[in-house]
Amino acid sequence: MAKKGKGRKAPGQQDGRQLIASNRKARHNYSILEVFEAGVVLVGTEVKSLRAGQASLVDAFASVDDGEVWLRNLHIPEYHHGTWTNHEPRRTRKLLLHRRQIDTLIGKIRDGNLTLVPLSLYFTEGKVKVELALARGKQAHDKRQDLARRDAQREVTRALGRRAKGMS
């Protein structure tokens, strides 16, 4: 008799994570140097809205102010069953990182022209986490080189597949 629920993952769930939103353009516009996981300070209606799967990381970015990391422009729409206690959709939210991580981020951001970009927003063990990347912006020619490299790799894979099937 098969056990119910064993070995199956819910849609959008990987290794204990339930994905809420991802920033797909971030890897195209930035070269990722280092990735951090941070907790997010939220109010109740924000969590309820996130459980409904509503959030947008399109214009979001993080900044370090007075030794604290803040997530700006993250859009979490108002909870539709909320009352006058509903939250503001684009408010600035505090990120929870260890002091050592914040200090290294401050040092690296001050040294080079780096930025903090949120890659994804997800639930882990009932808590909302954000995957934050220390990134450097790509120039237009870098983006073209990446596209050309990806196309070449795709052609190589196709040719190997055709050869394995005995077509060419």
Side-chain angles (χ1 to χ4, degrees), residues 117-132:
V117 180
L119 297 177
S120 62
L121 191 68
Y122 53 90
F123 283 106
T124 298
E125 298 173 7
K127 294 176 177 53
V128 177
K129 304 284 186 176
V130 64
E131 191 175 40
L132 204 60

Side-chain angles (χ1 to χ4, degrees), residues 154-168:
R154 193 177 302 127
E155 285 299 320
V156 167
T157 307
R158 274 192 200 137
L160 288 174
R162 273 186 256 144
R163 186 172 178 204
K165 291 178 185 174
M167 291 180 158
S168 60

